Amino acid sequence: MVSWIISRLVVLIFGTLYPAYYSYKAVKSKDIKEYVKWMMYWIIFALFTTAETFTDIFLCWFPFYYELKIAFVAWLLSPYTKGSSLLYRKFVHPTLSSKEKEIDDCLVQAKDKSYDALVHFGKRGLNVAATAAVMAASKGQGALSERLRSFSMQDLTTIRADGAPAPSGPPPPGTGRASGKHGQPKMSRSASESAGSSGTA
């Protein structure tokens, strides 16, 4: 029995790459007949790939399932059977022609809804991002203010008292000598007595 890997490889080479090369040649030569032939093939192959996604899940246990897939792709490609042209003309074209208006309406509605959903989720995403940025900025500002608060004047004087050398230069006013009530230097007792005796004489 053919394994899944061999079946996948055959479908990839003969069902995808080979038709892709001949589609390129049809576009290059501008041969309308070949172009239409390969367009019909790609429409049928797209439907086959869509159906294969589900049949691989539910029918892979069926005997000779992978052999049937390979035979179907060969039948689609064969110039003698013209399987893709036959399926397109007999089934796909009449079905799509009868349902074309409904399909177009559904596609337009789906496009509009998807656009609205995209705009809605985009706005929500921007709101979430803006909220996160504001919260991060406020937390950063709070941390900065806490850091600045830790360097208060009391902390700085404590640091200078603990280890910094005393400043050089004249002492500030009011330090060094004892001052009186109004900032004038106190006189000694003998000086004040002599001043008092000279005042009474």
Side-chain angles (χ1 to χ4, degrees):
M1 289 180 68
V2 177
S3 67
W4 175 83
I5 297 174
I6 296 172
S7 167
R8 195 78 231 148
L9 195 62
V10 169
V11 170
L12 182 66
I13 293 171
F14 294 103
T16 307
L17 296 178
Y18 173 79
Y21 179 70
Y22 275 94
S23 299
Y24 153 75
K25 290 188 80 164
V27 171
K28 185 180 176 184
S29 65
K30 297 179 182 177
D31 185 351
I32 301 298
K33 188 178 177 183
E34 283 292 305
Y35 186 78
V36 170
K37 170 191 160 185
W38 288 113
M39 284 301 294
M40 286 190 290
Y41 170 80
W42 285 117
I43 292 168
I44 297 298
F45 189 77
L47 295 172
F48 164 72
T49 306
T50 306
E52 179 190 34
T53 304
F54 299 101
T55 57
D56 279 354
I57 297 170
F58 299 111
L59 296 177
C60 62
W61 54 268
F62 193 76
F64 303 108
Y65 169 73
Y66 295 112
E67 287 86 348
L68 288 172
K69 277 174 59 173
I70 292 171
F72 181 72
V73 170
W75 179 74
L76 289 178
L77 282 172
S78 173
Y80 303 108
T81 58
K82 296 180 181 178
S84 58
S85 299
L86 180 68
L87 285 177
Y88 180 81
R89 292 179 202 281
K90 290 283 184 184
F91 301 105
V92 176
H93 183 76
T95 305
L96 289 179
S97 294
S98 63
K99 304 285 184 183
E100 189 172 358
K101 190 177 184 314
E102 291 88 344
I103 294 171
D104 288 342
D105 291 342
C106 288
L107 288 176
V108 168
Q109 288 179 6
K111 189 168 73 171
D112 292 342
K113 286 180 181 177
S114 63
Y115 178 75
D116 292 341
L118 184 66
V119 169
H120 174 69
F121 285 116
K123 285 181 180 177
R124 286 188 64 183
L126 286 175
N127 287 339
V128 169
T131 305
V134 168
M135 289 186 69
S138 64
K139 284 182 182 177
Q141 187 179 7
L144 182 63
S145 63
E146 288 295 326
R147 185 75 175 162
L148 290 175
R149 194 176 294 130
S150 69
F151 288 112
S152 63
M153 288 304 292
Q154 183 178 1
D155 294 335
L156 292 175
T157 54
T158 307
I159 291 171
R160 195 157 76 178
D162 286 344
S168 59
T175 60
R177 270 191 255 165
S179 55
K181 238 182 208 184
H182 302 290
Q184 296 176 348
K186 287 185 178 178
M187 290 191 285
S188 62
R189 189 173 177 186
S190 59
S192 61
E193 284 177 356
S194 62
S197 62
S198 64
T200 55

